[in-house]
Structure formats: structure tokens, C-alpha cells
């Protein structure tokens, strides 16, 4: 298989775009202090929140430089969206700083799933639901309560906002706050929510965060019993893991190629041989720390912080990952790419044996694939009994 064919496969699948313009440098603190001219946004923000006008909006409709092979409209829209999100959330962050009488920092990528702060803000968040990723303009924690923030520069009906609000409220948010240029109550028609699949921007890898002592949590696990997953025998999550293992049973090298590219370990999304065993610490959507274990014998698995707070996130992540693997499989079949070689049993066979043993001891099994901060180093993947 030629290198050009592999790169064509990954470029079509993940549609990675090169940076097209220099990073914009803005004094957001100065911006927040000025009286911003323009029209007041239509909003459902609490009355005691800072009042914001739309004068900061960047609504360019073209690039300053033409680039061959680049979808200019998508690049412009993405650039404008990030600029406007930064500006909006910085104004809110500076207002919170005044109330807290201390600096409330703007985190650009973390939705603060586990935050216990009284005031906090985050910008341009990749929010994870079981249907996929939904990008919002920010997250704000006001007096320990969490709000999703969306900025609507185009006409958007109230039905769209209400549907999106339901997702966030069901996920534990106090409310969804919108800032709109036109009153959503007066916009006719419908607009469909669009969820995205995983891409390389959903993950962050830090080479300095790989040692045991740097990990944020004391325990991580592939699966544990909780409110959503009562036991191994009835677990939907364990079935979903089996689905993605089945989809890519002979193609793990392609999946690892994408993951290595997403983590910045490889500059190209090229096929990568599975190691004998390895573990990698990454931050996934919403800044959640995840440990990925890689093994030619066992396959690719994700270990999440073993805490009730992360159970819903864990289940949603695996559901989205299954859909992601469907896309990879479609591209592999379409391009007639070669399979991985196996000298022994497949990863799916190994996993099925593990789960069948766990089901035999169903009432005793509380967690599978536990990794402890104090003595991690690649789990044996036995089921664990209390």
C-alpha cells in the first residue's frame, strides 16, 4: 500500500485543514473594560449577569489570502466563531473576576466536568454527548452552578435552543444561555442540531504528563458498576466495546495511526504497528483525563476516572467511538486496504473470553481493567472483586 493512498484515506476521513492565517492577538482584558458599542444581544442570561453588546463581533466573509484546495467558507466561519467565542467568554470571565475579587481564568478547552469552583469559565468547548460532539461557545460556572453558553450570529429559532437546552439540562447543567443578534422567538422555521464525530482536535497529549505521579485521579477503569451500569451481565457499555473491537478486529493499525496523529506523536495519519503493550495519558473532550492502553494481543481500550461523576461521560465516549470506528471501517473497505497480521488469537477473542468470565461471577464483579495511580503499569485486565 502506497503512502499516498494511506494519506488520501486519512485526509478524506478526518478532513484535516492546515492553518491558513496567523494567530490573532487581541487584548481581551482591554476589550472587556471598554463600553462595547453596538446592539444589545437578545439573551436569557440571568438579570444580574453583565450586559453585553454585539459590537465586538467579527463577521468577515473571506480570507485575506487565497489557498488552493481549501474550503474558504468553512475556514472563515471557523475563524470567526473562535474569535467571537473568545471575546464573549472573556467579557463574562472578567465580570466574574470582579465578583469573585480574584482573577477567574479563561480555560480554552476544558468544560470543567469535575470543577468545584464557585466561578469559572471556559471557551469554545467540545461537549460530549452520546450522539456526538457539539461545539459550544463556552461554559460558565456561576455560584457553583454550571451554564452552557452559545452565541447565535445567524437567525436561529427558539425550538433549536430549547432542544439543545434539554441535552445540557439532562447532563446536569443549570441552563443553556444564548446570546442572539435576532430574537429567537421571532425566527420562523426549524433548524436541526448537528453533532460531530471525533477528530484530532478532541484530544490533547502532553509528554510531560505521562508519569504516575502526574495523574489527576487515584483510580481509572475500563468499566465499573454504577447508576447506569448495574452489573457486567446487563452492561451496554461492555457490549459497545465489543462492537468497536469487532469493527476493527483486523485493522487496529489504522486506528492507532489516527490516534497517534491526533496526539501529535506522528505528523501524518499513517498506519502504525500496535505495540506489545503501552499506556498513554490523554485529555479527551471536556478536558477529562483518560488512560489508553494499547496491546497487540488485547487491543485498544480507554480507562476513565473511576468516579460516579464520569459514568455518563464514559458511556457517551464509547458510543461516539463506536460510530467513529464505523466510519474508519467504511473507508478501509472502500479503499480495499490490507488487514493486520495475527500470529495468535484476535483481540476480539481475547476480550470475549474476559467478559464471559466476568459474567460468570456477575454479582462479585465491581470493576474491570482497574488502574491505580500508585501502582499502575498496564493492567492484567482481570475483573476485580470486592
Amino acid at each position: 500500500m502506497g503512502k499516498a493512498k494511506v494519506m488520501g484515506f486519512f485526509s478524506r476521513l478526518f478532513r484535516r485543514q492546515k492553518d491558513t492565517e496567523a494567530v490573532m492577538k487581541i487584548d481581551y482584558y482591554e476589550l472587556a473594560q471598554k463600553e462595547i458599542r453596538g446592539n444589545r444581544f437578545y439573551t436569557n442570561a440571568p438579570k444580574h449577569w453583565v450586559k453585553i453588546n454585539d459590537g465586538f463581533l467579527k463577521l468577515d466573509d473571506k480570507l485575506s489570502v487565497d489557498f488552493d484546495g481549501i474550503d474558504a467558507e468553512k475556514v472563515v466561519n471557523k475563524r470567526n466563531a473562535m474569535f467571537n467565542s473568545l471575546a464573549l467568554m472573556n467579557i463574562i470571565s472578567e465580570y466574574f473576576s470582579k465578583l469573585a475579587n480574584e482573577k477567574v481564568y479563561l480555560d480554552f478547552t476544558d468544560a470543567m466536568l469535575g470543577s468545584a469552583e464557585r466561578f469559572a469559565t471556559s471557551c469554545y468547548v467540545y461537549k460530549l454527548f452520546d450522539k456526538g460532539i457539539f461545539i459550544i461557545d463556552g461554559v460558565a460556572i456561576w455560584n457553583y452552578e454550571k451554564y452552557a453558553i452559545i452565541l447565535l450570529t445567524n437567525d436561529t429559532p427558539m425550538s433549536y435552543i430549547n432542544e439543545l437546552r434539554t441535552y445540557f439540562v439532562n447532563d446536569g447543567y443549570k441552563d443553556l444561555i444564548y446570546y442572539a443578534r435576532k430574537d429567537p422567538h421571532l425566527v420562523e422555521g426549524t433548524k436541526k442540531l448537528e453533532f460531530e464525530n471525533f477528530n484530532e482536535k478532541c484530544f490533547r497529549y502532553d509528554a510531560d504528563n505521562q508519569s504516575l505521579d502526574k495523574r489527576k485521579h487515584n483510580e481509572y477503569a475500563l468499566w465499573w458498576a454504577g447508576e447506569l451500569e448495574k452489573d457486567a451481565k446487563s452492561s451496554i457499555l461492555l457490549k459497545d466495546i465489543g462492537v468497536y473491537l469487532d469493527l476493527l478486529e483486523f485493522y487496529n493499525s489504522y486506528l492507532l495511526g489516527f490516534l497517534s496523529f491526533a496526539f501529535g506523536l506522528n505528523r501524518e495519519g499513517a498506519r502504525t504497528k500496535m505495540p506489545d503493550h503501552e499506556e498513554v495519558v490523554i485529555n479527551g473532550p471536556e478536558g477529562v483525563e483518560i488512560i489508553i492502553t494499547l496491546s497487540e494481543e488485547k487491543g485498544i481500550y480507554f480507562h476513565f476516572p473511576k468516579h460516579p461523576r464520569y459514568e455518563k461521560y464514559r458511556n457517551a465516549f464509547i458510543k461516539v467511538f463506536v460510530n467513529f470506528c464505523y466510519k474508519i471501517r467504511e473507508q478501509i473497505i472502500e479503499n480495499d486496504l490490507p488487514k493486520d497480521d495475527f500470529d495468535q488469537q484476535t483481540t476480539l477473542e481475547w476480550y470475549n473470553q474476559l467478559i464471559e468470565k466476568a459474567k460468570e461471577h456477575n454479582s462479585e464483579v465491581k470493576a474491570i481493567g482497574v488502574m491505580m495511580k500508585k501502582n499502575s503499569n498496564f493492567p492484567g485486565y482481570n475483573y476485580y472483586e470486592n
Side-chain angles (χ1 to χ4, degrees):
M1 178 177 59
K3 181 177 179 181
K5 190 172 184 179
V6 175
M7 286 305 296
F9 157 62
F10 278 96
S11 63
R12 283 194 300 274
L13 180 58
F14 305 115
R15 296 182 180 178
R16 181 172 182 255
Q17 295 175 334
K18 297 180 180 179
D19 294 333
T20 56
E21 291 195 329
V23 177
M24 296 165 291
K25 295 183 179 180
I26 307 164
D27 189 338
Y28 292 107
Y29 183 82
E30 180 181 352
L31 177 64
Q33 303 310 306
K34 292 180 178 179
E35 180 181 353
I36 300 175
R37 297 181 180 180
N39 299 311
R40 186 69 53 84
F41 283 109
Y42 293 92
T43 181
N44 64 331
K47 293 182 178 180
H48 51 276
W49 280 30
V50 60
K51 304 301 184 292
I52 305 175
N53 293 347
D54 65 4
F56 66 82
L57 288 179
K58 186 178 182 64
L59 301 171
D60 291 350
D61 60 359
K62 62 181 179 181
L63 294 171
S64 59
V65 180
D66 291 331
F67 293 86
D68 293 336
I70 296 293
D71 187 329
E73 182 178 0
K74 287 185 178 180
V75 174
V76 168
N77 290 341
K78 186 85 167 183
R79 182 192 63 185
N80 290 346
M82 294 187 71
F83 178 102
N84 293 332
S85 294
L86 280 166
L88 172 66
M89 293 309 301
N90 198 79
I91 294 171
I92 295 174
S93 180
E94 292 299 333
Y95 175 62
F96 282 11
S97 295
K98 293 178 181 179
L99 294 177
N101 200 28
E102 62 182 43
K103 182 66 176 177
V104 175
Y105 291 97
L106 181 62
D107 188 301
F108 285 67
T109 57
D110 191 341
M112 305 167 292
L113 178 61
S115 176
E117 300 292 325
R118 183 181 179 188
F119 297 101
T121 57
S122 189
C123 174
Y124 212 68
V125 172
Y126 284 68
K127 180 70 183 74
L128 176 66
F129 295 105
D130 59 7
K131 285 192 174 183
I133 302 293
F134 198 96
I135 301 176
I136 57 175
D137 292 278
V139 171
I141 295 180
W142 167 277
N143 210 20
Y144 303 109
E145 293 181 323
K146 189 161 55 176
Y147 297 83
I149 309 293
I150 58 172
L151 177 62
L152 305 172
T153 57
N154 298 320
D155 294 357
T156 305
M158 199 65 210
S159 58
Y160 175 93
I161 297 172
N162 288 334
E163 184 180 0
L164 185 59
R165 174 188 284 119
T166 300
Y167 279 93
F168 281 95
V169 171
N170 289 342
D171 203 53
Y173 283 68
K174 178 68 173 178
D175 202 355
L176 171 70
I177 304 300
Y178 66 84
Y179 292 89
R181 299 187 76 200
K182 183 174 181 178
D183 188 348
H185 296 90
L186 302 180
V187 177
E188 299 179 353
T190 60
K191 183 178 180 181
K192 184 180 180 180
L193 294 180
E194 295 184 359
F195 294 89
E196 300 184 10
N197 216 317
F198 286 142
N199 59 47
E200 73 274 11
K201 291 183 173 59
C202 292
F203 304 100
R204 285 185 294 158
Y205 169 86
D206 185 352
D208 296 328
N209 193 37
Q210 300 303 307
S211 61
L212 291 178
D213 62 314
K214 293 291 182 65
R215 294 180 182 175
K216 297 178 182 178
H217 305 275
N218 291 323
E219 283 187 300
Y220 302 78
L222 174 72
W223 175 89
W224 66 90
E227 290 297 320
L228 301 177
E229 300 267 315
K230 302 296 184 182
D231 54 40
K233 186 174 290 186
S234 63
S235 170
I236 295 175
L237 176 74
L238 292 176
K239 291 179 182 177
D240 285 342
I241 293 173
V243 170
Y244 84 68
L245 289 172
D246 186 26
L247 284 169
L248 297 179
E249 185 175 14
F250 298 101
Y251 302 103
N252 275 319
S253 63
Y254 298 97
L255 177 57
L256 182 56
F258 164 74
L259 293 175
S260 298
F261 169 70
F263 306 156
L265 299 176
N266 290 342
R267 292 188 177 182
E268 298 177 345
R271 191 177 183 185
T272 303
K273 188 181 186 312
M274 289 285 289
D276 291 335
H277 57 267
E278 189 66 63
E279 60 185 59
V280 180
V281 180
I282 59 111
N283 285 334
E286 303 183 56
V288 174
E289 188 171 86
I290 303 169
I291 300 176
I292 302 178
T293 53
L294 310 166
S295 167
E296 186 173 18
E297 175 193 2
K298 300 177 177 67
I300 298 175
Y301 299 96
F302 300 89
H303 302 250
F304 303 88
K306 188 174 173 290
H307 187 282
R309 177 186 296 143
Y310 297 95
E311 188 182 5
K312 183 180 289 188
Y313 178 97
R314 174 200 68 188
N315 290 14
F317 184 101
I318 296 300
K319 280 188 178 297
V320 177
F321 191 72
V322 167
N323 291 331
F324 177 73
C325 289
Y326 270 113
K327 297 295 184 183
I328 293 181
R329 178 61 181 260
E330 288 174 1
Q331 291 289 326
I332 289 172
I333 300 303
E334 178 183 327
N335 289 272
D336 193 26
L337 301 179
K339 295 181 178 180
D340 296 337
D341 294 325
F342 277 92
D343 297 328
Q344 49 189 353
Q345 65 181 5
T346 66
T347 56
L348 182 60
E349 289 173 335
W350 182 91
Y351 177 76
N352 285 337
Q353 291 174 12
L354 171 71
I355 301 307
E356 286 306 312
K357 288 181 181 179
K359 289 180 178 179
E360 290 175 6
H361 300 270
N362 185 56
S363 62
E364 303 168 329
V365 177
K366 303 302 179 185
I368 297 175
V370 174
M371 304 182 76
M372 309 289 290
K373 182 176 181 178
K374 59 184 179 181
N375 60 356
S376 184
N377 296 324
F378 210 85
Y381 279 101
N382 296 320
Y383 58 84
Y384 290 74
E385 302 176 1
N386 281 357

